[in-house]
């Protein structure tokens, strides 16, 4: 009979659900005890219980970060049953991922968008900027505006196609005949700038647009000192307003295009250059000043003016006024008065007002333009618009 040898007190304090105390009977329904008895561990103050090497470890989540912690702080042979210590793996909470920055919304985003828009406008070209001079349909611009594509700058055909719908023929019925001139649409509802001498003394005014439509017009205001007039079409809408440029930026030698209705030939296009700036042109301010311009059935067919101490196209009379004008060699003839002088980008830089023309009774060899024409700078027109809308200085 083999005797089991055990050390004193080795198993008394081991708590095993599968093994009853030595004094208790064995229950046959209990499962058999393990083949070995684990060594009882001495309790260690403030230290987690030590696991047997064969005991099942807790399930570890793959996203956890693990670090080792010594199970005991004693060294070898300290008598506390934890020689060398046991490395215990403890889960360290993963740091939360940094939150994604949200895109700014609300006022900050709006201000940023406005700043970008403002920068885009300030740094490049501005097209269709409207000048608020009583009616916001007036299209005003600086010399950086391009009515025609930049690749077509200076191309006469492109300029004519873009601006011709904004130039009209003006026919004024006078007491002794008719006066034919031109005009420039400045608002979509039919405000038109022309020369005062084109409509002065008129009993009625008819306007024909580039597409052949006819309208009746009324005089809104006149300024004989600047030879300007503002008329308005009746029952008109959806017209193409011209883009008014900046005549202060014009230089001698700049390419220009003139559009008007010389001798009743609506939509005639000519081209040339700016020949000079700030020319003093003297014209008549008499009420009957328009009765010689482009007349049919009387008159010379010319508009009299003075320049450089000489008179052209007849007597200007005793009542005159002088204004600064742009000089051009673009071909102008009777009927061009009130029409558009246009820069290479398609902006209106002047209203054609005076031109030298041979006398009606001259021979055919003297007929036609001699390249001596003048236009009222468009900045003068823009400065006078408010006064013209109020009736003008002649009212």
């Amino acid at each position: 009979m083999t005797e089991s040898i055990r050390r004193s007190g080795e198993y008394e304090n081991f708590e095993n659900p599968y093994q009853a105390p030595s004094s208790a009977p064995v229950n046959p329904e209990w499962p058999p005890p393990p083949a070995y008895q684990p060594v009882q561990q001495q309790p260690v103050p403030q230290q987690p219980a030590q696991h047997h090497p064969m005991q099942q470890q807790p399930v570890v989540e793959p996203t956890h970060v693990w670090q080792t912690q010594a199970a005991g702080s004693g060294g070898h042979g300290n008598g506390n049953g934890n020689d060398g210590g046991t490395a215990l793996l403890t889960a360290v909470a993963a740091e939360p991922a940094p939150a994604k920055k949200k895109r700014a919304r609300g006022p900050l985003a709006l201000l940023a968008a406005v700043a970008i828009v403002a920068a885009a406008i300030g740094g490049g070209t501005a097209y269709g900027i409207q000048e608020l001079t009583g009616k916001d349909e007036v299209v005003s611009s600086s010399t950086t505006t391009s009515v025609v594509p930049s690749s077509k700058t200076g191309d006469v055909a492109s300029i004519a196609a873009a601006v011709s719908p904004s130039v009209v023929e003006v026919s004024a019925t006078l007491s002794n005949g008719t006066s034919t001139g031109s005009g420039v649409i400045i608002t979509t509802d039919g405000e038109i700038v022309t020369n005062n001498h084109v409509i002065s003394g008129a009993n009625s005014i008819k306007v024909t647009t580039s597409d052949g439509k006819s309208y009746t017009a009324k005089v809104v205001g006149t300024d004989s000192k600047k030879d300007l007039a503002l008329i308005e079409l009746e029952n008109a809408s959806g017209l193409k307003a011209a883009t008014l440029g900046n005549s202060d930026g014009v230089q001698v030698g700049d390419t220009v295009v003139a559009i008007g209705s010389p001798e009743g030939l609506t939509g005639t296009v000519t081209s040339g250059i700016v020949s000079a700036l700030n020319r003093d042109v003297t014209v008549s301010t008499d009420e009957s000043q328009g009765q010689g311009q482009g007349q049919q059935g009387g008159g010379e067919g010319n508009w009299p003016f003075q320049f450089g101490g000489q008179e052209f196209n007849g007597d200007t009379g005793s009542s005159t006024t002088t204004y600064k004008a742009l000089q051009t060699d673009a071909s102008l003839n009777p009927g061009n008065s009130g029409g558009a002088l246009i820069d290479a980008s398609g902006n209106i830089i002047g209203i054609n007002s005076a031109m030298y023309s041979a006398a009606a009774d001259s021979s055919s060899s003297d007929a036609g333009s001699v390249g001596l024409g003048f236009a009222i700078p468009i900045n003068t027109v823009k400065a006078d618009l408010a006064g013209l809308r109020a009736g003008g200085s002649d009212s």
Side-chain angles (χ1 to χ4, degrees):
M1 181 174 186
T2 304
E3 182 178 356
S4 173
I5 300 175
R6 64 171 182 167
R7 296 176 185 175
S8 176
E10 187 174 1
Y11 299 113
E12 283 83 354
N13 297 328
F14 182 80
E15 295 181 3
N16 190 340
Y18 302 103
Q19 183 174 353
S22 57
S23 59
V26 177
N27 190 335
E29 295 181 358
W30 289 355
Y36 63 91
Q37 297 294 339
V39 179
Q40 183 178 2
Q41 301 294 323
Q42 295 293 334
V44 179
Q46 299 180 353
Q47 295 293 335
Q50 188 170 0
H51 299 278
H52 191 275
M54 298 300 292
Q55 188 171 349
Q56 185 177 4
Q57 298 294 331
V59 178
V60 179
E61 293 294 335
T63 57
H64 286 180
V65 179
W66 293 86
Q67 66 182 8
T68 61
Q69 179 179 351
S73 59
H76 291 284
N78 59 5
N80 60 4
N82 289 292
D83 293 346
T86 302
L88 178 64
L89 298 179
T90 58
V92 179
E95 294 183 3
K100 293 184 179 179
K101 293 183 178 180
K102 294 184 178 180
R103 189 173 296 178
R105 299 184 183 276
L108 291 179
L110 177 60
L111 289 176
V114 172
I116 292 173
V117 173
I121 293 179
T125 60
Y127 177 73
I129 303 299
Q130 295 180 333
E131 180 184 50
L132 302 180
T133 56
K135 287 195 176 183
D136 59 3
E137 297 90 343
V138 175
V139 181
S140 177
S141 74
S142 68
T143 52
T144 59
T145 301
S146 184
V147 177
V148 298
S150 57
S151 60
K152 297 293 185 180
T153 299
D155 182 70
V156 176
S158 298
I159 296 169
V163 183
S164 288
S166 302
V167 182
V168 299
E169 178 183 299
V170 179
S171 297
T173 301
L174 310 172
S175 58
N176 61 343
T178 60
S179 173
T180 302
S182 305
V184 177
I185 301 171
I186 62 169
T187 65
T188 58
D189 59 356
E191 278 192 340
I192 294 173
V193 170
T194 187
N195 288 141
N196 182 52
H197 71 254
V198 172
I199 54 89
S200 178
N203 299 320
S204 63
I205 302 172
K206 185 181 76 171
V207 171
T208 304
T209 58
S210 62
D211 58 2
K213 293 182 180 179
S214 295
Y215 297 88
T216 299
K218 63 180 181 180
V219 176
V220 176
T222 60
D223 186 350
S224 60
K225 294 180 177 59
K226 296 184 179 68
D227 195 16
L228 290 172
L230 182 67
I231 62 177
E232 186 172 15
L233 305 184
E234 297 180 355
N235 302 320
S237 63
L239 302 178
K240 183 176 182 180
T243 302
L244 308 185
N246 178 13
S247 53
D248 289 344
V250 176
Q251 297 181 352
V252 174
D254 284 352
T255 299
V256 290
V257 173
I259 303 179
S261 301
E263 306 295 349
L265 301 175
T266 304
T268 296
V269 177
T270 58
S271 64
I273 63 169
V274 174
S275 303
L277 305 174
N278 299 316
R279 293 296 199 195
D280 289 327
V281 174
T282 301
V283 297
S284 173
T285 59
D286 291 338
E287 177 67 21
S288 60
Q289 64 175 321
Q291 298 189 17
Q293 168 64 28
Q295 273 192 356
Q296 298 175 4
E300 297 176 339
N302 307 313
W303 171 237
F305 69 98
Q306 296 176 11
F307 169 69
Q310 297 181 350
E311 276 192 347
F312 299 91
N313 304 337
D315 184 8
T316 57
S318 58
S319 178
T320 61
T321 185
T322 301
Y323 59 83
K324 299 290 185 180
L326 302 174
Q327 182 180 336
T328 179
D329 69 348
S331 179
L332 302 179
N333 292 284
N336 272 113
S337 288
L341 188 67
I342 310 157
D343 68 12
S345 296
N347 306 297
I348 310 298
I349 58 170
I351 300 297
N352 299 321
S353 58
M355 68 292 300
Y356 173 78
S357 182
D361 55 357
S362 300
S363 64
S364 59
S365 61
D366 295 328
S369 172
V370 295
L372 187 62
F374 302 92
I376 302 168
I378 200 63
N379 285 7
T380 300
V381 177
K382 291 192 288 186
D384 206 29
L385 270 178
L388 291 173
R389 286 179 172 135
S393 60
D394 295 339
S395 59

